[in-house]
Amino acid sequence: MKIIVGLGNPEEKYLKTFHNMGYIAVGDVAAKLGVKFKKKECEAYVAEANLDGEKIIIARPVTYMNNSGRAVKQLLAKYRASADDLIIIYDDYDMPKGSVRIRPSGSAGTHNGMRSVIAETGTSAFVRIRVGIRDAEVNIPIINYVLSEVKKEDYELFVSACGRAAEAAISLSRGESVEKVMTRYNG
Protein backbone atom coordinates (compact mmCIF):
# COMPACT_ATOMS: atom_id res chain seq x y z
CA MET A 1 0.00 0.00 0.00
CA LYS A 2 1.01 3.59 -0.66
CA ILE A 3 -0.58 6.78 0.60
CA ILE A 4 0.15 9.77 -1.63
CA VAL A 5 -0.77 13.10 -0.06
CA GLY A 6 -0.70 16.44 -1.86
CA LEU A 7 -0.48 19.42 0.46
CA GLY A 8 -2.55 22.51 -0.26
CA ASN A 9 -5.54 24.59 0.77
CA PRO A 10 -9.09 23.46 -0.01
CA GLU A 11 -10.86 26.68 -0.99
CA GLU A 12 -11.42 27.65 -4.63
CA LYS A 13 -9.54 30.93 -4.12
CA TYR A 14 -6.32 28.93 -3.51
CA LEU A 15 -6.70 26.67 -6.54
CA LYS A 16 -4.02 28.30 -8.72
CA THR A 17 -1.67 29.47 -5.99
CA PHE A 18 1.90 28.34 -5.49
CA HIS A 19 0.94 26.70 -2.19
CA ASN A 20 -1.36 24.26 -4.03
CA MET A 21 1.28 22.48 -6.11
CA GLY A 22 0.74 19.34 -4.01
CA TYR A 23 -3.02 19.43 -4.68
CA ILE A 24 -2.41 19.85 -8.40
CA ALA A 25 0.14 17.02 -8.52
CA VAL A 26 -2.09 14.49 -6.72
CA GLY A 27 -4.88 15.50 -9.09
CA ASP A 28 -2.52 14.42 -11.87
CA VAL A 29 -1.80 11.14 -10.02
CA ALA A 30 -5.54 10.42 -9.78
CA ALA A 31 -6.09 11.28 -13.45
CA LYS A 32 -3.20 9.08 -14.60
CA LEU A 33 -4.58 6.18 -12.53
CA GLY A 34 -8.13 6.80 -13.78
CA VAL A 35 -9.73 7.59 -10.42
CA LYS A 36 -11.54 10.56 -8.89
CA PHE A 37 -11.69 12.09 -5.42
CA LYS A 38 -15.08 10.63 -4.43
CA LYS A 39 -15.09 10.51 -0.67
CA LYS A 40 -14.12 12.57 2.32
CA GLU A 41 -12.46 10.81 5.23
CA CYS A 42 -9.72 11.54 7.73
CA GLU A 43 -10.08 15.28 7.06
CA ALA A 44 -9.17 14.76 3.40
CA TYR A 45 -10.69 14.19 -0.01
CA VAL A 46 -9.63 10.69 -1.01
CA ALA A 47 -9.35 8.67 -4.21
CA GLU A 48 -8.51 4.96 -4.24
CA ALA A 49 -6.65 3.18 -7.00
CA ASN A 50 -5.12 -0.20 -7.66
CA LEU A 51 -1.70 -0.20 -9.26
CA ASP A 52 -0.16 -3.54 -10.19
CA GLY A 53 -2.15 -5.19 -7.38
CA GLU A 54 -1.12 -2.54 -4.84
CA LYS A 55 -3.70 -0.35 -3.11
CA ILE A 56 -3.00 3.36 -3.57
CA ILE A 57 -4.69 6.05 -1.47
CA ILE A 58 -4.47 9.55 -2.96
CA ALA A 59 -5.41 12.40 -0.62
CA ARG A 60 -5.90 16.16 -0.46
CA PRO A 61 -6.19 17.30 3.18
CA VAL A 62 -8.93 19.83 3.93
CA THR A 63 -7.23 20.99 7.13
CA TYR A 64 -5.49 23.88 5.37
CA MET A 65 -1.75 23.79 4.89
CA ASN A 66 -0.55 24.49 8.42
CA ASN A 67 -2.54 21.57 9.88
CA SER A 68 -1.90 19.01 7.13
CA GLY A 69 -0.32 16.60 9.61
CA ARG A 70 -3.69 15.90 11.25
CA ALA A 71 -5.06 14.40 8.04
CA VAL A 72 -1.85 12.47 7.33
CA LYS A 73 -1.81 10.97 10.83
CA GLN A 74 -5.46 9.93 10.50
CA LEU A 75 -4.88 8.36 7.08
CA LEU A 76 -1.90 6.36 8.35
CA ALA A 77 -3.99 5.09 11.29
CA LYS A 78 -7.09 4.25 9.21
CA TYR A 79 -5.13 2.28 6.63
CA ARG A 80 -2.71 0.79 9.17
CA ALA A 81 0.17 2.18 7.18
CA SER A 82 3.60 3.32 8.24
CA ALA A 83 5.85 6.17 7.19
CA ASP A 84 7.43 3.75 4.68
CA ASP A 85 4.09 3.78 2.83
CA LEU A 86 3.84 7.57 2.70
CA ILE A 87 4.65 9.96 -0.16
CA ILE A 88 4.07 13.69 0.39
CA ILE A 89 4.00 16.15 -2.53
CA TYR A 90 4.29 19.85 -1.80
CA ASP A 91 5.58 23.23 -2.96
CA ASP A 92 9.04 24.36 -1.93
CA TYR A 93 9.95 28.04 -1.80
CA ASP A 94 13.63 27.17 -1.37
CA MET A 95 13.87 25.62 -4.85
CA PRO A 96 13.81 27.33 -8.27
CA LYS A 97 10.40 27.48 -9.95
CA GLY A 98 9.49 24.45 -12.01
CA SER A 99 12.13 22.15 -10.51
CA VAL A 100 11.23 18.78 -8.95
CA ARG A 101 13.20 16.99 -6.25
CA ILE A 102 12.57 13.70 -4.51
CA ARG A 103 14.12 12.87 -1.14
CA PRO A 104 13.74 9.78 1.05
CA SER A 105 13.54 11.91 4.24
CA GLY A 106 14.56 15.28 5.60
CA SER A 107 13.54 18.36 7.52
CA ALA A 108 10.54 20.60 6.96
CA GLY A 109 12.72 23.50 5.85
CA THR A 110 10.60 26.66 5.66
CA HIS A 111 7.37 24.73 4.99
CA ASN A 112 4.70 24.89 7.72
CA GLY A 113 2.66 22.07 6.18
CA MET A 114 5.64 19.75 6.39
CA ARG A 115 6.32 20.89 9.96
CA SER A 116 2.78 19.80 10.79
CA VAL A 117 3.21 16.41 9.07
CA ILE A 118 6.48 15.72 10.88
CA ALA A 119 5.06 16.83 14.25
CA GLU A 120 1.87 14.77 13.91
CA THR A 121 3.51 11.59 12.57
CA GLY A 122 6.54 11.83 14.84
CA THR A 123 8.94 11.12 11.99
CA SER A 124 10.62 12.78 9.03
CA ALA A 125 11.54 9.42 7.48
CA PHE A 126 9.09 9.39 4.57
CA VAL A 127 9.45 10.17 0.88
CA ARG A 128 8.74 13.70 -0.19
CA ILE A 129 8.41 15.13 -3.67
CA ARG A 130 8.98 18.87 -3.79
CA VAL A 131 7.92 21.23 -6.57
CA GLY A 132 10.07 24.36 -6.68
CA ILE A 133 8.19 27.67 -6.72
CA ARG A 134 10.85 30.34 -6.05
CA ASP A 135 11.08 33.16 -8.55
CA ALA A 136 14.35 35.01 -7.91
CA GLU A 137 12.89 38.15 -9.46
CA VAL A 138 10.06 38.42 -6.93
CA ASN A 139 10.92 40.00 -3.59
CA ILE A 140 7.87 39.84 -1.32
CA PRO A 141 7.34 38.05 2.02
CA ILE A 142 7.10 34.26 1.67
CA ILE A 143 3.51 34.10 3.02
CA ASN A 144 2.33 36.61 0.39
CA TYR A 145 4.22 34.82 -2.37
CA VAL A 146 3.01 31.26 -1.66
CA LEU A 147 -0.61 32.42 -1.51
CA SER A 148 -0.38 34.38 -4.76
CA GLU A 149 -1.53 32.97 -8.09
CA VAL A 150 0.93 31.52 -10.57
CA LYS A 151 1.61 34.02 -13.36
CA LYS A 152 0.02 33.14 -16.71
CA GLU A 153 3.43 33.04 -18.40
CA ASP A 154 4.62 30.45 -15.83
CA TYR A 155 1.49 28.30 -15.84
CA GLU A 156 2.78 25.67 -18.30
CA LEU A 157 6.06 25.39 -16.39
CA PHE A 158 4.15 24.47 -13.21
CA VAL A 159 1.74 22.14 -15.03
CA SER A 160 4.80 20.28 -16.33
CA ALA A 161 6.48 20.20 -12.90
CA CYS A 162 3.32 18.84 -11.24
CA GLY A 163 3.03 16.22 -13.99
CA ARG A 164 6.62 15.11 -13.35
CA ALA A 165 5.94 14.99 -9.60
CA ALA A 166 2.88 12.81 -10.28
CA GLU A 167 4.89 10.46 -12.50
CA ALA A 168 7.54 10.17 -9.80
CA ALA A 169 4.89 9.30 -7.19
CA ILE A 170 3.47 6.61 -9.48
CA SER A 171 6.95 5.18 -10.12
CA LEU A 172 7.57 5.00 -6.36
CA SER A 173 4.18 3.35 -5.88
CA ARG A 174 5.14 0.72 -8.44
CA GLY A 175 8.05 -0.22 -6.20
CA GLU A 176 10.88 1.59 -7.96
CA SER A 177 13.63 2.56 -5.54
CA VAL A 178 13.84 6.12 -4.29
CA GLU A 179 17.39 6.33 -5.66
CA LYS A 180 16.29 5.32 -9.17
CA VAL A 181 13.37 7.77 -9.13
CA MET A 182 15.62 10.55 -7.78
CA THR A 183 18.06 9.97 -10.63
CA ARG A 184 15.30 10.24 -13.22
CA TYR A 185 13.33 13.21 -11.85
CA ASN A 186 15.57 15.40 -9.67
CA GLY A 187 16.65 18.58 -11.36
Side-chain angles (χ1 to χ4, degrees):
M1 161 177 280
K2 289 291 180 195
I3 299 177
I4 305 170
V5 180
L7 303 188
N9 289 309
E11 287 183 62
E12 184 77 24
K13 68 182 180 180
Y14 297 113
L15 186 63
K16 294 181 180 179
T17 65
F18 292 104
H19 231 10
N20 267 30
M21 293 297 130
Y23 263 34
I24 295 166
V26 294
D28 289 351
V29 171
K32 289 173 188 292
L33 297 180
V35 297
K36 296 187 183 303
F37 293 90
K38 291 185 177 178
K39 60 184 173 178
K40 187 175 175 186
E41 63 184 24
C42 303
E43 295 188 82
Y45 289 111
V46 174
E48 274 187 44
N50 187 303
L51 182 63
D52 303 332
E54 185 89 19
K55 185 175 190 170
I56 308 295
I57 303 299
I58 308 159
R60 289 174 166 160
V62 296
T63 54
Y64 291 89
M65 184 63 79
N66 293 353
N67 294 309
S68 298
R70 284 195 337 238
V72 173
K73 182 178 180 180
Q74 291 171 35
L75 288 162
L76 290 173
K78 177 178 174 79
Y79 291 100
R80 296 187 177 126
S82 71
D84 291 338
D85 304 313
L86 185 60
I87 300 168
I88 304 284
I89 306 176
Y90 63 102
D91 63 283
D92 192 329
Y93 181 79
D94 297 323
M95 291 172 29
K97 66 182 179 180
S99 59
V100 174
R101 288 198 190 125
I102 296 100
R103 291 183 61 198
S105 63
S107 73
T110 59
H111 203 281
N112 289 332
M114 284 301 289
R115 274 195 197 103
S116 174
V117 172
I118 291 168
E120 290 285 344
T121 62
T123 184
S124 62
F126 51 84
V127 174
R128 67 272 324 271
I129 301 172
R130 301 175 298 153
V131 176
I133 63 168
R134 178 95 188 237
D135 186 336
E137 296 176 16
V138 176
N139 190 18
I140 61 174
I142 293 176
I143 188 66
N144 296 344
Y145 182 77
V146 299
L147 294 177
S148 64
E149 283 196 15
V150 173
K151 294 184 240 171
K152 287 181 184 177
E153 60 266 24
D154 288 336
Y155 187 73
E156 289 302 318
L157 175 68
F158 286 104
V159 166
S160 175
C162 288
R164 290 192 319 276
E167 290 168 7
I170 291 169
S171 294
L172 290 162
S173 298
R174 282 202 162 103
E176 286 188 45
S177 72
V178 175
E179 293 77 19
K180 185 175 181 181
V181 175
M182 286 170 64
T183 300
R184 191 171 9 170
Y185 290 98
N186 280 4

